[in-house]
């Protein structure tokens, strides 16, 4: 089962359903094949109340990116979590929950819940078995039907135990039926009743865990979810637990830990599972994901190398291995594995983030035509809004085009203020540059191809940054612009770029903001400096504001003979509602 990659066509539904990062859930969830129940659970979460555990790693600081401290998606929690400190590619699809955003690649919504007990295990009165009978049980667990396995067992058992088995089977089936109907309390009573007479019945304990898990979804209760984890754990630790059930319980438990933000616990669970099932690629794949969550890229890389040694065609491992290599700077090998993985069409591989990084890796290794093809395919498959607009954290209804006028962006007043005060802003920035050069930090997102590019951030994610007070006049000015300083999906920052700088084509993380550039020092010597956004080139003018949508691919060249200085002010996209401004997760 862990051998062959299951091909999966992108359905019409998926192509047409727009949205975004909630779909990331899918990639992290179950790798391939037989874990329908996991997929179901994850979909329940996403569908029921829209929070999807999503991304798991970024380019630079995984921990910061997923907001380890604040990464849980607790039921009681209403506001979304912090995502990434800054801009662009670092955040290319790997951030955590973005509650209000819509899906890009949709999951089918019809599903059956509560596949609590597998058919194979149901007929067995596990707790009453002796070691020799356990062997039989293992065999019988492979039996096709409940009755055949019952018969198989009856040979080595007396009539009474057959009766017991029948009763147990009936009770387990009853519990499962109730779970399917979402009658969780009744299911719980049934499983608890079985447990009272069969205290170590793996199926009953698993059923109880499932019932509690389902109840926690219904009631959005962390407490109940945490309670359910105890029972998944019991299942895993039962000496008489059938392997298949153990695996299922382990995978669900790990996923639920991640949901709760208990990332280390997820690693511990999966490590333990990997000890029991050292060559199980489903478990290893999830172990790799959990390592990425806790920022242990090295271990994740090793795990995926192992999966690929066991199953070289494992698409899930290929995309993750490729992603790790690419973000570590090995663009050639990264592209190689990303491409293989995406082409496998295996579960968990059709994610915007993988297309995003494959395109980027191809472009950076002189394979721009292929990059273009990947971007087009990503757009066609609904992973990107268009081949140029590749942001992954989107609100779908927003109008979009590369360049904007102040009137279109509804920022006439802001533009007027910035343009009338541009010299004051410039002088304050130049003064800080002279006095404290160290305040300008080199770009950290691997966006730069050549040259020198530094930034000084005043606001990020709607919060003033510590250096804001070094530029009191500029900060006072922007503090009167709520759609700018309050834009939790953007920043306000100075950007200085030295001659000889080229910034790779890249795409910001979200379509929820527009980016204003106020020209402060714009050299016209040499070949000048310019910005390409989608298929249009522009340059800056001193004292003038240029507005573009940085969710479209953009690229910068600085080939003048002296530095270029601008103030970048992100503002909420004019179509974003007041409610969204308050509730969209910060980026
Ligand atoms: C960008 O926003 O990515 C660039 O335009 C920044 C810059 O300094 O030009
Ligand atoms: Mn940019």
């Amino acid at each position: 089962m862990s051998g062959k990659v299951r091909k999966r066509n992108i359905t019409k539904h998926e192509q047409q359903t727009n949205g975004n990062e909630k779909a990331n859930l899918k990639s992290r969830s179950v790798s391939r094949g037989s874990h329908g129940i996991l997929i179901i659970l994850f979909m329940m979460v996403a569908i029921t109340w829209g929070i999807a555990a999503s991304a798991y790693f970024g380019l630079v600081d995984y921990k910061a990116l997923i907001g380890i401290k604040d990464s849980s998606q607790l039921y009681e929690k209403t506001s979304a979590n912090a995502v990434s400190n800054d801009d662009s590619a670092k955040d290319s699809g790997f951030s955590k929950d973005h509650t209000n955003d819509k899906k890009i690649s949709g999951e089918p919504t019809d599903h059956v819940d509560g596949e609590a007990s597998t058919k194979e295990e149901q007929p067995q009165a596990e707790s009453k078995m002796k070691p020799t009978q356990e062997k039989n049980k293992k065999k019988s667990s492979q039996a096709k039907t409940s009755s055949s396995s019952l018969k198989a067992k009856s040979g080595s058992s007396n009539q009474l135990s057959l009766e017991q088995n029948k009763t147990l089977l009936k009770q387990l089936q009853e519990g499962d039926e109730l779970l399917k109907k979402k009658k969780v309390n009744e299911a719980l009573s049934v499983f608890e009743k079985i447990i009272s007479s069969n205290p170590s019945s793996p199926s009953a304990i698993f059923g109880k865990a499932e019932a509690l898990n389902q109840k926690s979804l219904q009631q959005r209760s962390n407490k109940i979810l945490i309670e359910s984890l105890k029972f998944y754990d019991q299942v895993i630790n039962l000496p008489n637990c059938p392997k298949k059930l153990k695996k299922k319980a382990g995978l669900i438990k790990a996923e639920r830990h991640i949901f709760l933000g208990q990332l280390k616990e997820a690693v511990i669970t999966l490590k333990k599972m990997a000890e029991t099932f050292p060559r199980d690629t489903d478990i290893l794949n999830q172990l790799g994901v959990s390592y990425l969550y806790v920022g242990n890229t090295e271990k994740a890389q090793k795990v995926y190398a192992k999966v690929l040694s066991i199953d070289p065609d494992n698409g899930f491992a290929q995309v993750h291995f490729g992603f790790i290599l690419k973000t570590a700077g090995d663009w050639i090998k990264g592209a190689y594995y990303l491409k293989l993985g995406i082409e496998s069409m295996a579960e968990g591989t059709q994610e915007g983030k993988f297309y995003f990084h494959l395109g980027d890796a191809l472009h950076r290794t002189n394979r721009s035509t292929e990059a273009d093809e990947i971007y087009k395919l990503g757009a066609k498959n609904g992973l990107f809004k268009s081949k140029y607009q590749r942001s992954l954290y989107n609100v779908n209804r927003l109008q979009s085009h590369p360049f904007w006028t102040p009137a279109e962006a509804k920022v006439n007043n802001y533009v007027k203020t910035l343009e009338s005060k541009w010299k004051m802003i410039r002088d304050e920035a130049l003064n800080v540059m002279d006095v404290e050069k160290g305040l300008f930090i080199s770009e950290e997102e691997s966006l730069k191809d050549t040259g020198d590019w530094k930034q000084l951030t005043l606001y990020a994610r709607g919060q003033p940054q510590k250096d804001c007070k070094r530029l009191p006049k500029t900060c006072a000015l922007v503090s009167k612009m709520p759609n700018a300083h309050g834009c939790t999906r953007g920043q306000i920052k100075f950007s200085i770029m030295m001659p000889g700088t080229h910034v790779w084509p890249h795409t910001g993380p979200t379509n929820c903001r527009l980016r204003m550039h106020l020209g402060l020092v714009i050299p016209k010597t040499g070949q000048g400096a310019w910005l390409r956004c989608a298929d249009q080139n522009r340059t800056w003018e001193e004292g003038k504001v240029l507005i573009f949508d940085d969710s479209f691919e953009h690229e910068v060249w600085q080939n003048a003979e002296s530095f270029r200085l601008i103030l970048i002010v992100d503002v909420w996209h004019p179509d974003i509602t007041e409610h969204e401004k308050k509730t969209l997760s910060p980026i």
Side-chain angles (χ1 to χ4, degrees):
M1 175 223 49
S2 58
K4 290 279 161 274
V5 172
R6 204 186 69 181
K7 302 269 177 189
R8 189 174 81 93
N9 293 323
I10 295 176
T11 65
K12 215 168 179 195
H13 170 84
E14 283 173 316
Q15 286 174 23
Q16 287 171 352
T17 310
N18 258 339
N20 56 29
E21 63 261 40
K22 283 173 193 161
N24 288 334
L25 171 82
K26 198 173 60 179
S27 88
R28 204 207 52 219
S29 59
V30 193
S31 52
R32 301 167 301 138
S34 66
H35 305 306
I37 191 158
L38 280 177
I39 295 168
I40 285 160
L41 278 163
F42 304 152
M43 289 194 302
M44 278 161 61
V45 177
I47 291 156
T48 309
W49 35 272
I51 294 177
S54 56
Y56 32 91
F57 37 90
L59 283 176
V60 179
D61 180 356
Y62 298 140
K63 278 192 195 169
L65 186 63
I66 60 174
I68 293 278
K69 273 197 195 131
D70 188 27
S71 68
S72 70
Q73 300 170 56
L74 306 178
Y75 287 122
E76 285 87 0
K77 208 167 160 181
T78 50
S79 68
N81 303 312
V83 177
S84 158
N85 223 340
D86 38 16
D87 207 7
S88 311
K90 174 175 170 181
D91 201 22
S92 308
F94 298 97
S95 297
K96 247 176 141 49
D97 60 357
H98 296 274
T99 311
N100 304 51
D101 301 351
K102 302 290 181 290
K103 284 177 160 190
I104 269 189
S105 60
E107 293 274 6
T109 53
D110 50 328
H111 59 267
V112 185
D113 296 334
E115 290 174 20
S117 306
T118 57
K119 264 186 186 164
E120 301 92 300
E121 323 75 66
Q122 282 171 343
Q124 291 150 20
E126 299 96 339
S127 65
K128 308 213 159 139
M129 289 175 118
K130 295 194 176 115
T132 45
Q133 287 174 307
E134 279 201 53
K135 268 193 198 159
N136 290 339
K137 187 197 76 175
K138 266 189 200 160
K139 279 183 200 149
S140 71
S141 78
Q142 285 147 19
K144 285 274 181 309
T145 63
S146 311
S147 59
S148 66
S149 94
L150 267 177
K151 272 178 205 150
K153 247 182 70 64
S154 68
S156 62
S157 191
N158 60 29
Q159 195 57 36
L160 188 69
S161 87
L162 177 62
E163 280 311 306
Q164 283 175 330
N165 283 342
K166 273 186 178 166
T167 312
L168 179 60
L169 170 62
K170 235 180 116 205
Q171 286 173 319
L172 286 169
Q173 278 172 343
E174 189 191 339
D176 287 351
E177 283 305 312
L178 288 165
L179 269 184
K180 275 184 199 158
K181 290 180 191 148
K182 298 206 165 74
K183 294 182 174 174
V184 287
N185 285 327
E186 288 165 56
L188 207 51
S189 322
V190 169
F191 289 120
E192 275 168 351
K193 198 174 149 211
I194 306 171
I195 293 167
S196 68
S197 50
N198 299 271
S200 56
S201 157
S203 297
I205 300 168
F206 183 79
K208 181 170 178 180
E210 290 282 85
L212 287 168
N213 188 5
Q214 211 179 95
K215 188 171 171 176
S216 79
L217 285 165
Q218 285 179 4
Q219 300 196 2
R220 299 177 67 156
S221 161
N222 303 323
K223 216 175 135 213
I224 300 173
L225 178 56
I226 290 163
E227 179 79 0
S228 80
L229 295 179
K230 283 201 301 204
F231 295 98
Y232 286 119
D233 201 50
Q234 263 191 36
V235 175
I236 298 165
N237 289 311
L238 281 172
N240 63 335
C241 183
K243 283 199 159 180
K244 198 173 167 188
L245 190 62
K246 189 175 197 149
K247 175 177 167 179
K248 199 183 264 187
L251 285 170
I252 296 173
K253 181 172 179 269
E255 187 279 330
R256 299 280 73 195
H257 277 308
I258 290 171
F259 177 88
L260 286 164
Q262 299 172 343
L263 306 173
K264 283 188 186 145
E265 285 83 351
V267 172
I268 291 166
T269 303
L270 289 161
K271 261 175 85 173
K272 201 169 146 191
M273 298 304 293
E275 277 162 24
T276 315
F277 305 99
R279 291 181 67 79
D280 187 304
T281 53
D282 297 326
I283 286 166
L284 292 173
N285 276 340
Q286 293 310 312
L287 178 62
V289 167
S290 72
Y291 277 137
L292 288 169
Y293 265 114
V294 295
N296 200 335
T297 325
E298 224 173 279
K299 284 207 172 143
Q301 187 171 344
K302 278 191 187 144
V303 168
Y304 289 120
K306 182 173 174 185
V307 174
L308 292 171
S309 74
I310 297 167
D311 176 11
D313 298 330
N314 190 304
F316 189 93
Q318 284 167 339
V319 282
H320 286 80
F321 195 60
F323 179 83
I324 292 166
L325 293 171
K326 190 271 177 181
T327 52
D330 190 344
W331 302 329
I332 292 178
K333 231 167 139 187
Y336 174 79
Y337 283 102
L338 278 165
K339 190 164 187 284
L340 281 179
I342 286 172
E343 284 172 359
S344 78
M345 296 297 287
E347 197 74 39
T349 61
Q350 300 306 298
E351 298 286 336
K353 60 199 170 210
F354 298 127
Y355 280 69
F356 186 109
H357 284 286
L358 173 57
D360 196 37
L362 289 169
H363 185 85
R364 292 182 186 206
T365 49
N366 298 317
R367 295 165 70 184
S368 300
T369 313
E370 285 170 80
D372 205 48
E373 288 306 314
I374 276 293
Y375 293 147
K376 277 188 200 149
L377 187 65
K380 189 173 156 234
N381 291 348
L383 302 170
F384 304 133
K385 292 184 78 61
S386 72
K387 78 163 187 164
Y388 279 132
Q389 198 181 15
R390 301 192 299 272
S391 50
L392 295 168
Y393 304 100
N394 300 319
V395 169
N396 283 315
R397 57 165 209 286
L398 310 183
Q399 49 177 317
S400 60
H401 48 267
F403 286 98
W404 290 63
T405 65
E408 285 170 339
K410 300 209 174 105
V411 287
N412 278 331
N413 289 343
Y414 292 3
V415 169
K416 243 185 228 161
T417 306
L418 291 168
E419 290 186 346
S420 65
K421 302 283 185 202
W422 78 275
K423 283 189 176 158
M424 180 202 86
I425 299 168
R426 176 197 64 189
D427 293 346
E428 202 170 42
L430 289 175
N431 184 43
V432 163
M433 266 169 66
D434 285 344
V435 180
E436 280 183 278
K437 275 209 164 67
L439 288 182
F440 280 80
I441 313 285
S442 288
E443 180 270 332
E444 291 172 327
E445 301 172 43
S446 311
L447 299 180
K448 186 171 56 81
D449 174 18
T450 57
D452 190 5
W453 175 23
K454 290 191 168 67
Q455 297 177 344
L456 192 167
T457 304
L458 306 180
Y459 276 85
R461 303 184 197 178
Q463 298 295 322
Q465 301 298 291
K466 66 176 186 343
D467 292 331
C468 213
K469 53 183 180 289
R470 311 274 185 151
L471 297 101
K473 292 182 198 159
T474 307
C475 271
L477 202 70
V478 295
S479 74
K480 294 195 192 90
M481 302 177 177
N483 279 331
H485 74 77
C487 178
T488 58
R489 290 197 157 192
Q491 301 110 43
I492 301 176
K493 59 192 179 189
F494 288 98
S495 169
I496 182 163
M497 212 175 264
M498 297 301 166
T501 303
H502 171 232
V503 178
W504 290 116
H506 64 282
T507 301
T510 177
N511 73 343
C512 297
R513 69 185 188 209
L514 296 176
R515 180 154 276 195
M516 301 197 282
H517 278 183
L518 172 65
L520 297 173
V521 179
I522 309 299
K524 299 286 179 198
T525 53
Q527 294 172 320
W530 70 96
L531 164 80
R532 172 181 70 82
C533 184
D535 53 3
Q536 298 172 50
N537 286 356
R538 299 273 168 102
T539 188
W540 300 267
E541 262 184 71
E542 288 181 358
K544 292 280 168 225
V545 168
L546 174 82
I547 307 170
F548 72 106
D549 181 341
D550 81 324
S551 65
F552 284 84
E553 178 186 288
H554 54 285
E555 183 172 11
V556 186
W557 293 265
Q558 212 296 37
N559 289 327
E561 283 158 0
S562 58
F563 70 87
R564 183 224 65 176
L565 178 69
I566 58 171
L567 175 68
I568 297 176
V569 182
D570 290 336
V571 284
W572 283 117
H573 188 289
D575 297 343
I576 288 286
T577 66
E578 290 307 312
H579 180 254
E580 284 165 340
K581 287 176 195 175
K582 288 193 204 106
T583 53
L584 281 166
S585 56
I587 295 177

